[in-house]
Amino acid sequence: MKRIFLLGTMIAAAVCTTQAGAQELTGTLKKIKDTGAITIGFRDSSVPFSYLDDNQKPVGFAMDICYKIVDAVKKELKNDKIEVKLNPVTSATRIPLIANGTVDLECGSTTNNADRQKQVAFTNTHFLTASRFVSKKAAKLDKIDDLKGKSVVSTSGTTNIKQLTEANAARNLGINVIPAKDHAEAFLMVETDRAVAFVMDDILLASLAAGARDPSAYVISKDAFSKAEPYGIMLRKDDAPFKKVVDAATAELYKSPEGAKIYDKWFTQKIPPKGLNLNVPMGAEQKKAFASPSDSPDPDAYAAN
């Protein structure tokens, strides 16, 4: 009888321990475990970070990183059958969809800054870019002051349209600032002469110009609205267990030879669907960001020595 009692006690203790272990999961990890799915937010035209290929499948540098994060989450939860759901986001919807739990990871070209960190969290920086403008060479525009009194477009919900608006006011330029729903629409406005310039992250401008009918007709300004700013994968704020998994996964990737290979795949080689080569090799700041992974929003944290 005593042995039976002890055995029953041990079984009960094991059950309680298992239940306690299950209860330890919180936030996004618990959501993923309970639903058996993780949701990735993707962009449709943020080449080469997150965009649709000829088969309308989301591909890109940030998408590759996010799939590595998914692998780490599967390992953490000991479940290799977790479903990956794909949810389109725009510049305007990406933060709300992360905040309200619709999307678990936003895999695109989102600038990590102090204002956004009040609403969401970011993992380690995967790219550095500055805010500039693209225009037609025939317009002969290069400096911000050259935009005075002209119609200039930028994408709604981005740091770039904020920087354009602030520069417009600070310098009394009288620019007609036009908001566009996405990057593709904004570039089209320059192509069709409805705007003289499009203000956006320089790498995105380079990709859009490279994909134009006549790439040689466009030029990106040397003058910039910002220092080199960090891009990061977004996730929900105040979710330390999930962020720990995501940070560990990205840090391991960036510091490994595979990180450089993925970078080269999207920035120095031909990419789908048109076989464009952006020809943007990894610079000193990017190498530092990969060698010492950080989620800092401060551009100076990535300055090369």
Side-chain angles (χ1 to χ4, degrees):
M1 181 67 73
K2 187 175 181 180
R3 289 178 63 189
I4 294 173
F5 175 78
L6 288 172
L7 182 61
T9 302
M10 290 170 64
I11 292 173
V15 170
C16 288
T17 300
T18 302
Q19 290 176 339
Q23 290 169 358
E24 286 175 6
L25 286 178
T26 60
T28 304
L29 288 176
K30 184 178 189 306
K31 173 178 176 282
I32 295 168
K33 181 177 178 62
D34 290 348
T35 62
I38 183 170
T39 302
I40 288 177
F42 69 89
R43 303 294 293 275
D44 63 3
S45 60
S46 286
V47 182
F49 299 93
S50 180
Y51 65 99
L52 298 176
D53 65 11
D54 277 345
N55 299 314
Q56 298 300 294
K57 176 187 175 183
V59 296
F61 180 53
M63 293 300 296
D64 281 359
I65 294 169
C66 278
Y67 283 120
K68 291 294 182 181
I69 295 171
V70 170
D71 289 342
V73 171
K74 288 179 177 179
K75 185 177 180 181
E76 177 72 16
L77 296 178
K78 299 178 175 61
N79 181 1
D80 61 2
K81 295 183 179 179
I82 290 171
E83 179 187 1
V84 177
K85 294 183 177 180
L86 300 171
N87 195 103
V89 299
T90 66
S91 296
T93 65
R94 56 190 170 179
I95 291 177
L97 290 177
I98 282 284
N100 70 18
T102 300
V103 170
D104 301 314
L105 294 167
E106 190 269 337
C107 309
S109 51
T110 300
T111 302
N112 174 7
N113 59 39
D115 282 344
R116 285 179 174 160
Q117 286 203 1
K118 295 174 184 176
Q119 305 176 70
V120 294
F122 289 84
T123 188
N124 298 307
T125 294
H126 61 265
F127 196 78
L128 294 157
T129 186
S131 183
R132 305 180 194 273
F133 65 85
V134 67
S135 61
K136 289 184 175 178
K137 286 181 181 177
K140 297 182 179 179
L141 307 172
D142 183 56
K143 297 181 179 179
I144 293 172
D145 287 349
D146 293 339
L147 303 176
K148 187 171 184 177
K150 296 178 171 58
S151 292
V152 179
V153 65
S154 189
T155 309
S156 295
T158 63
T159 55
N160 313 84
I161 197 167
K162 180 181 178 183
Q163 290 163 346
L164 170 60
T165 302
E166 290 174 348
N168 189 28
R171 304 189 188 196
N172 195 27
L173 295 175
I175 294 171
N176 174 29
V177 178
I178 306 172
K181 67 175 182 178
D182 57 34
H183 305 331
E185 179 184 80
F187 189 77
L188 181 62
M189 293 188 74
V190 176
E191 280 190 304
T192 55
D193 297 316
R194 286 176 287 165
V196 299
F198 170 27
V199 177
M200 185 44 55
D201 299 338
D202 50 19
I203 186 62
L204 298 181
L205 296 178
S207 67
L208 288 163
R213 281 170 289 185
D214 180 10
S216 65
Y218 299 91
V219 63
I220 297 172
S221 67
K222 293 180 181 178
D223 213 0
F225 288 84
S226 70
K227 295 181 180 180
E229 297 178 322
Y231 282 174
I233 305 296
M234 272 199 301
L235 55 152
R236 271 180 288 289
K237 187 175 171 63
D238 300 324
D239 191 349
F242 184 57
K243 190 175 190 306
K244 182 179 179 181
V245 174
V246 176
D247 285 352
T250 51
E252 181 180 2
L253 174 63
Y254 301 159
K255 289 191 288 186
S256 74
E258 188 176 7
K261 287 181 181 178
I262 292 177
Y263 180 95
D264 288 342
K265 170 186 172 182
W266 293 103
F267 294 97
T268 66
Q269 300 173 22
K270 292 181 179 180
I271 60 174
K274 298 180 181 180
L276 301 176
N277 187 336
L278 300 182
N279 194 25
V280 181
M282 193 180 295
E285 291 178 333
Q286 184 69 43
K287 289 178 180 178
K288 181 179 178 181
F290 270 19
S292 303
S294 170
D295 66 354
S296 173
D298 182 6
D300 292 333
Y302 305 95
N305 295 328

mmCIF file of all heavy atoms in Angstrom, residues 141-179:
data_model
loop_
_atom_site.group_PDB
_atom_site.id
_atom_site.type_symbol
_atom_site.label_atom_id
_atom_site.label_comp_id
_atom_site.label_asym_id
_atom_site.label_seq_id
_atom_site.Cartn_x
_atom_site.Cartn_y
_atom_site.Cartn_z
ATOM 1 N N LEU A 141 18.404 67.272 -60.228
ATOM 2 C CA LEU A 141 18.193 67.500 -58.794
ATOM 3 C C LEU A 141 19.163 66.622 -58.006
ATOM 4 O O LEU A 141 19.308 65.437 -58.305
ATOM 5 C CB LEU A 141 16.755 67.140 -58.402
ATOM 6 C CG LEU A 141 15.626 67.800 -59.203
ATOM 7 C CD1 LEU A 141 14.289 67.184 -58.828
ATOM 8 C CD2 LEU A 141 15.620 69.305 -58.943
ATOM 9 N N ASP A 142 19.825 67.188 -57.012
ATOM 10 C CA ASP A 142 20.734 66.374 -56.191
ATOM 11 C C ASP A 142 20.667 66.754 -54.719
ATOM 12 O O ASP A 142 20.766 65.908 -53.847
ATOM 13 C CB ASP A 142 22.175 66.506 -56.682
ATOM 14 C CG ASP A 142 23.117 65.604 -55.895
ATOM 15 O OD1 ASP A 142 22.872 64.380 -55.849
ATOM 16 O OD2 ASP A 142 24.080 66.119 -55.302
ATOM 17 N N LYS A 143 20.473 68.046 -54.454
ATOM 18 C CA LYS A 143 20.424 68.515 -53.072
ATOM 19 C C LYS A 143 18.978 68.677 -52.616
ATOM 20 O O LYS A 143 18.075 68.895 -53.438
ATOM 21 C CB LYS A 143 21.162 69.838 -52.950
ATOM 22 C CG LYS A 143 22.654 69.734 -53.268
ATOM 23 C CD LYS A 143 23.336 71.079 -53.112
ATOM 24 C CE LYS A 143 24.828 70.957 -53.414
ATOM 25 N NZ LYS A 143 25.526 72.272 -53.300
ATOM 26 N N ILE A 144 18.779 68.580 -51.320
ATOM 27 C CA ILE A 144 17.433 68.731 -50.758
ATOM 28 C C ILE A 144 16.855 70.092 -51.128
ATOM 29 O O ILE A 144 15.668 70.204 -51.462
ATOM 30 C CB ILE A 144 17.469 68.545 -49.226
ATOM 31 C CG1 ILE A 144 17.841 67.084 -48.887
ATOM 32 C CG2 ILE A 144 16.120 68.904 -48.597
ATOM 33 C CD1 ILE A 144 18.082 66.826 -47.420
ATOM 34 N N ASP A 145 17.686 71.119 -51.117
ATOM 35 C CA ASP A 145 17.208 72.463 -51.462
ATOM 36 C C ASP A 145 16.738 72.567 -52.915
ATOM 37 O O ASP A 145 15.977 73.477 -53.261
ATOM 38 C CB ASP A 145 18.300 73.503 -51.190
ATOM 39 C CG ASP A 145 18.505 73.756 -49.699
ATOM 40 O OD1 ASP A 145 17.667 73.296 -48.897
ATOM 41 O OD2 ASP A 145 19.510 74.396 -49.332
ATOM 42 N N ASP A 146 17.180 71.635 -53.767
ATOM 43 C CA ASP A 146 16.744 71.633 -55.162
ATOM 44 C C ASP A 146 15.268 71.281 -55.307
ATOM 45 O O ASP A 146 14.672 71.499 -56.366
ATOM 46 C CB ASP A 146 17.566 70.628 -55.983
ATOM 47 C CG ASP A 146 19.028 71.027 -56.117
ATOM 48 O OD1 ASP A 146 19.331 72.223 -55.944
ATOM 49 O OD2 ASP A 146 19.857 70.133 -56.377
ATOM 50 N N LEU A 147 14.681 70.741 -54.245
ATOM 51 C CA LEU A 147 13.270 70.333 -54.275
ATOM 52 C C LEU A 147 12.318 71.484 -53.949
ATOM 53 O O LEU A 147 11.095 71.294 -53.940
ATOM 54 C CB LEU A 147 13.044 69.181 -53.274
ATOM 55 C CG LEU A 147 13.921 67.933 -53.474
ATOM 56 C CD1 LEU A 147 13.654 66.931 -52.358
ATOM 57 C CD2 LEU A 147 13.667 67.307 -54.833
ATOM 58 N N LYS A 148 12.851 72.649 -53.702
ATOM 59 C CA LYS A 148 12.042 73.804 -53.296
ATOM 60 C C LYS A 148 10.904 74.081 -54.281
ATOM 61 O O LYS A 148 11.111 74.177 -55.490
ATOM 62 C CB LYS A 148 12.926 75.040 -53.172
ATOM 63 C CG LYS A 148 12.216 76.256 -52.593
ATOM 64 C CD LYS A 148 13.198 77.387 -52.291
ATOM 65 C CE LYS A 148 12.483 78.555 -51.626
ATOM 66 N NZ LYS A 148 13.429 79.638 -51.257
ATOM 67 N N GLY A 149 9.683 74.167 -53.724
ATOM 68 C CA GLY A 149 8.514 74.509 -54.507
ATOM 69 C C GLY A 149 8.004 73.413 -55.425
ATOM 70 O O GLY A 149 7.098 73.652 -56.230
ATOM 71 N N LYS A 150 8.548 72.212 -55.297
ATOM 72 C CA LYS A 150 8.173 71.131 -56.200
ATOM 73 C C LYS A 150 7.308 70.075 -55.498
ATOM 74 O O LYS A 150 7.215 70.054 -54.275
ATOM 75 C CB LYS A 150 9.427 70.489 -56.791
ATOM 76 C CG LYS A 150 10.238 71.445 -57.671
ATOM 77 C CD LYS A 150 11.494 70.802 -58.203
ATOM 78 C CE LYS A 150 12.179 71.667 -59.245
ATOM 79 N NZ LYS A 150 12.547 72.996 -58.762
ATOM 80 N N SER A 151 6.699 69.205 -56.281
ATOM 81 C CA SER A 151 5.899 68.103 -55.739
ATOM 82 C C SER A 151 6.803 66.894 -55.524
ATOM 83 O O SER A 151 7.461 66.420 -56.458
ATOM 84 C CB SER A 151 4.768 67.730 -56.708
ATOM 85 O OG SER A 151 3.813 68.766 -56.776
ATOM 86 N N VAL A 152 6.832 66.428 -54.290
ATOM 87 C CA VAL A 152 7.703 65.313 -53.906
ATOM 88 C C VAL A 152 6.865 64.259 -53.191
ATOM 89 O O VAL A 152 6.063 64.584 -52.315
ATOM 90 C CB VAL A 152 8.851 65.785 -52.994
ATOM 91 C CG1 VAL A 152 9.731 64.609 -52.571
ATOM 92 C CG2 VAL A 152 9.678 66.861 -53.685
ATOM 93 N N VAL A 153 7.059 63.006 -53.548
ATOM 94 C CA VAL A 153 6.271 61.918 -52.982
ATOM 95 C C VAL A 153 7.100 61.104 -51.991
ATOM 96 O O VAL A 153 8.322 61.015 -52.113
ATOM 97 C CB VAL A 153 5.711 61.000 -54.101
ATOM 98 C CG1 VAL A 153 6.833 60.296 -54.838
ATOM 99 C CG2 VAL A 153 4.718 59.995 -53.542
ATOM 100 N N SER A 154 6.423 60.518 -50.999
ATOM 101 C CA SER A 154 7.033 59.539 -50.108
ATOM 102 C C SER A 154 5.925 58.613 -49.633
ATOM 103 O O SER A 154 4.737 58.924 -49.777
ATOM 104 C CB SER A 154 7.738 60.206 -48.920
ATOM 105 O OG SER A 154 8.499 59.248 -48.194
ATOM 106 N N THR A 155 6.299 57.488 -49.068
ATOM 107 C CA THR A 155 5.311 56.481 -48.688
ATOM 108 C C THR A 155 4.710 56.775 -47.315
ATOM 109 O O THR A 155 5.438 57.065 -46.369
ATOM 110 C CB THR A 155 5.949 55.080 -48.689
ATOM 111 O OG1 THR A 155 6.614 54.874 -49.938
ATOM 112 C CG2 THR A 155 4.901 54.007 -48.499
ATOM 113 N N SER A 156 3.390 56.692 -47.231
ATOM 114 C CA SER A 156 2.686 56.948 -45.968
ATOM 115 C C SER A 156 3.172 55.993 -44.874
ATOM 116 O O SER A 156 3.496 54.836 -45.146
ATOM 117 C CB SER A 156 1.180 56.735 -46.155
ATOM 118 O OG SER A 156 0.647 57.667 -47.052
ATOM 119 N N GLY A 157 3.242 56.498 -43.640
ATOM 120 C CA GLY A 157 3.592 55.665 -42.504
ATOM 121 C C GLY A 157 5.061 55.350 -42.365
ATOM 122 O O GLY A 157 5.440 54.489 -41.568
ATOM 123 N N THR A 158 5.925 56.050 -43.118
ATOM 124 C CA THR A 158 7.367 55.783 -43.047
ATOM 125 C C THR A 158 8.085 56.916 -42.327
ATOM 126 O O THR A 158 7.580 58.035 -42.198
ATOM 127 C CB THR A 158 7.973 55.643 -44.459
ATOM 128 O OG1 THR A 158 7.814 56.893 -45.164
ATOM 129 C CG2 THR A 158 7.279 54.542 -45.242
ATOM 130 N N THR A 159 9.304 56.619 -41.863
ATOM 131 C CA THR A 159 10.133 57.672 -41.271
ATOM 132 C C THR A 159 10.520 58.682 -42.344
ATOM 133 O O THR A 159 10.756 59.851 -42.048
ATOM 134 C CB THR A 159 11.412 57.082 -40.654
ATOM 135 O OG1 THR A 159 12.103 56.319 -41.644
ATOM 136 C CG2 THR A 159 11.084 56.173 -39.479
ATOM 137 N N ASN A 160 10.577 58.228 -43.598
ATOM 138 C CA ASN A 160 11.023 59.092 -44.687
ATOM 139 C C ASN A 160 10.079 60.259 -44.935
ATOM 140 O O ASN A 160 10.521 61.396 -45.144
ATOM 141 C CB ASN A 160 11.162 58.269 -45.972
ATOM 142 C CG ASN A 160 11.912 56.984 -45.754
ATOM 143 O OD1 ASN A 160 11.312 56.009 -45.340
ATOM 144 N ND2 ASN A 160 13.203 56.968 -45.991
ATOM 145 N N ILE A 161 8.767 59.999 -44.922
ATOM 146 C CA ILE A 161 7.820 61.090 -45.162
ATOM 147 C C ILE A 161 7.848 62.071 -43.987
ATOM 148 O O ILE A 161 7.672 63.281 -44.167
ATOM 149 C CB ILE A 161 6.389 60.560 -45.423
ATOM 150 C CG1 ILE A 161 5.544 61.664 -46.087
ATOM 151 C CG2 ILE A 161 5.732 60.033 -44.144
ATOM 152 C CD1 ILE A 161 4.238 61.144 -46.672
ATOM 153 N N LYS A 162 8.145 61.558 -42.799
ATOM 154 C CA LYS A 162 8.299 62.428 -41.632
ATOM 155 C C LYS A 162 9.533 63.312 -41.784
ATOM 156 O O LYS A 162 9.492 64.521 -41.519
ATOM 157 C CB LYS A 162 8.412 61.575 -40.364
ATOM 158 C CG LYS A 162 8.569 62.379 -39.089
ATOM 159 C CD LYS A 162 8.709 61.465 -37.875
ATOM 160 C CE LYS A 162 8.921 62.275 -36.608
ATOM 161 N NZ LYS A 162 9.137 61.412 -35.425
ATOM 162 N N GLN A 163 10.632 62.714 -42.241
ATOM 163 C CA GLN A 163 11.868 63.479 -42.438
ATOM 164 C C GLN A 163 11.700 64.525 -43.531
ATOM 165 O O GLN A 163 12.200 65.654 -43.410
ATOM 166 C CB GLN A 163 13.017 62.521 -42.787
ATOM 167 C CG GLN A 163 13.442 61.642 -41.631
ATOM 168 C CD GLN A 163 14.266 60.440 -42.064
ATOM 169 O OE1 GLN A 163 14.315 60.095 -43.247
ATOM 170 N NE2 GLN A 163 14.908 59.792 -41.105
ATOM 171 N N LEU A 164 10.991 64.158 -44.594
ATOM 172 C CA LEU A 164 10.719 65.104 -45.675
ATOM 173 C C LEU A 164 9.885 66.272 -45.166
ATOM 174 O O LEU A 164 10.193 67.446 -45.462
ATOM 175 C CB LEU A 164 9.988 64.386 -46.812
ATOM 176 C CG LEU A 164 9.410 65.257 -47.935
ATOM 177 C CD1 LEU A 164 10.499 66.053 -48.629
ATOM 178 C CD2 LEU A 164 8.646 64.390 -48.937
ATOM 179 N N THR A 165 8.846 65.981 -44.415
ATOM 180 C CA THR A 165 7.961 67.019 -43.878
ATOM 181 C C THR A 165 8.721 67.949 -42.932
ATOM 182 O O THR A 165 8.549 69.178 -42.969
ATOM 183 C CB THR A 165 6.772 66.373 -43.144
ATOM 184 O OG1 THR A 165 6.068 65.520 -44.058
ATOM 185 C CG2 THR A 165 5.825 67.422 -42.612
ATOM 186 N N GLU A 166 9.574 67.356 -42.088
ATOM 187 C CA GLU A 166 10.355 68.167 -41.140
ATOM 188 C C GLU A 166 11.361 69.061 -41.863
ATOM 189 O O GLU A 166 11.525 70.237 -41.507
ATOM 190 C CB GLU A 166 11.066 67.243 -40.146
ATOM 191 C CG GLU A 166 10.124 66.561 -39.162
ATOM 192 C CD GLU A 166 10.824 65.541 -38.288
ATOM 193 O OE1 GLU A 166 11.995 65.186 -38.591
ATOM 194 O OE2 GLU A 166 10.200 65.076 -37.304
ATOM 195 N N ALA A 167 12.038 68.512 -42.875
ATOM 196 C CA ALA A 167 12.999 69.311 -43.637
ATOM 197 C C ALA A 167 12.295 70.417 -44.406
ATOM 198 O O ALA A 167 12.798 71.548 -44.511
ATOM 199 C CB ALA A 167 13.770 68.409 -44.611
ATOM 200 N N ASN A 168 11.123 70.112 -44.913
ATOM 201 C CA ASN A 168 10.323 71.098 -45.645
ATOM 202 C C ASN A 168 9.989 72.291 -44.760
ATOM 203 O O ASN A 168 10.117 73.453 -45.175
ATOM 204 C CB ASN A 168 9.035 70.421 -46.144
ATOM 205 C CG ASN A 168 8.241 71.292 -47.096
ATOM 206 O OD1 ASN A 168 8.789 72.133 -47.799
ATOM 207 N ND2 ASN A 168 6.928 71.092 -47.120
ATOM 208 N N ALA A 169 9.579 71.997 -43.525
ATOM 209 C CA ALA A 169 9.225 73.070 -42.593
ATOM 210 C C ALA A 169 10.455 73.824 -42.099
ATOM 211 O O ALA A 169 10.467 75.062 -42.054
ATOM 212 C CB ALA A 169 8.463 72.476 -41.407
ATOM 213 N N ALA A 170 11.500 73.071 -41.744
ATOM 214 C CA ALA A 170 12.706 73.685 -41.190
ATOM 215 C C ALA A 170 13.406 74.601 -42.188
ATOM 216 O O ALA A 170 13.951 75.648 -41.821
ATOM 217 C CB ALA A 170 13.662 72.607 -40.704
ATOM 218 N N ARG A 171 13.379 74.241 -43.448
ATOM 219 C CA ARG A 171 14.081 75.014 -44.478
ATOM 220 C C ARG A 171 13.145 75.919 -45.280
ATOM 221 O O ARG A 171 13.591 76.594 -46.207
ATOM 222 C CB ARG A 171 14.815 74.067 -45.441
ATOM 223 C CG ARG A 171 15.789 73.112 -44.759
ATOM 224 C CD ARG A 171 16.634 72.374 -45.775
ATOM 225 N NE ARG A 171 17.442 71.329 -45.186
ATOM 226 C CZ ARG A 171 18.483 70.745 -45.774
ATOM 227 N NH1 ARG A 171 18.827 71.121 -47.005
ATOM 228 N NH2 ARG A 171 19.150 69.800 -45.183
ATOM 229 N N ASN A 172 11.866 75.889 -44.920
ATOM 230 C CA ASN A 172 10.872 76.729 -45.606
ATOM 231 C C ASN A 172 10.945 76.528 -47.123
ATOM 232 O O ASN A 172 11.032 77.482 -47.894
ATOM 233 C CB ASN A 172 11.098 78.209 -45.250
ATOM 234 C CG ASN A 172 9.907 79.073 -45.622
ATOM 235 O OD1 ASN A 172 8.769 78.599 -45.666
ATOM 236 N ND2 ASN A 172 10.161 80.347 -45.895
ATOM 237 N N LEU A 173 10.853 75.268 -47.542
ATOM 238 C CA LEU A 173 11.047 74.934 -48.949
ATOM 239 C C LEU A 173 9.768 75.003 -49.784
ATOM 240 O O LEU A 173 9.833 75.028 -51.007
ATOM 241 C CB LEU A 173 11.644 73.513 -49.055
ATOM 242 C CG LEU A 173 13.049 73.351 -48.464
ATOM 243 C CD1 LEU A 173 13.480 71.895 -48.513
ATOM 244 C CD2 LEU A 173 14.054 74.229 -49.206
ATOM 245 N N GLY A 174 8.621 74.985 -49.130
ATOM 246 C CA GLY A 174 7.370 75.051 -49.875
ATOM 247 C C GLY A 174 7.131 73.849 -50.764
ATOM 248 O O GLY A 174 6.494 73.943 -51.821
ATOM 249 N N ILE A 175 7.618 72.680 -50.336
ATOM 250 C CA ILE A 175 7.425 71.446 -51.105
ATOM 251 C C ILE A 175 5.980 70.959 -50.949
ATOM 252 O O ILE A 175 5.408 71.015 -49.863
ATOM 253 C CB ILE A 175 8.395 70.348 -50.615
ATOM 254 C CG1 ILE A 175 9.846 70.733 -50.915
ATOM 255 C CG2 ILE A 175 8.066 68.985 -51.232
ATOM 256 C CD1 ILE A 175 10.877 69.826 -50.274
ATOM 257 N N ASN A 176 5.411 70.477 -52.037
ATOM 258 C CA ASN A 176 4.107 69.819 -51.983
ATOM 259 C C ASN A 176 4.357 68.345 -51.688
ATOM 260 O O ASN A 176 4.740 67.577 -52.579
ATOM 261 C CB ASN A 176 3.375 69.977 -53.319
ATOM 262 C CG ASN A 176 2.072 69.189 -53.361
ATOM 263 O OD1 ASN A 176 1.432 68.976 -52.337
ATOM 264 N ND2 ASN A 176 1.693 68.741 -54.544
ATOM 265 N N VAL A 177 4.184 67.956 -50.422
ATOM 266 C CA VAL A 177 4.464 66.578 -50.002
ATOM 267 C C VAL A 177 3.263 65.689 -50.332
ATOM 268 O O VAL A 177 2.159 65.915 -49.844
ATOM 269 C CB VAL A 177 4.776 66.508 -48.490
ATOM 270 C CG1 VAL A 177 5.004 65.056 -48.066
ATOM 271 C CG2 VAL A 177 5.990 67.367 -48.155
ATOM 272 N N ILE A 178 3.501 64.667 -51.145
ATOM 273 C CA ILE A 178 2.433 63.761 -51.577
ATOM 274 C C ILE A 178 2.620 62.398 -50.914
ATOM 275 O O ILE A 178 3.658 61.759 -51.101
ATOM 276 C CB ILE A 178 2.439 63.577 -53.105
ATOM 277 C CG1 ILE A 178 2.373 64.939 -53.815
ATOM 278 C CG2 ILE A 178 1.292 62.673 -53.541
ATOM 279 C CD1 ILE A 178 2.566 64.840 -55.311
ATOM 280 N N PRO A 179 1.647 61.911 -50.153
ATOM 281 C CA PRO A 179 1.757 60.569 -49.567
ATOM 282 C C PRO A 179 1.289 59.501 -50.547
ATOM 283 O O PRO A 179 0.271 59.663 -51.228
ATOM 284 C CB PRO A 179 0.809 60.646 -48.360
ATOM 285 C CG PRO A 179 -0.209 61.665 -48.747
ATOM 286 C CD PRO A 179 0.462 62.650 -49.661
#
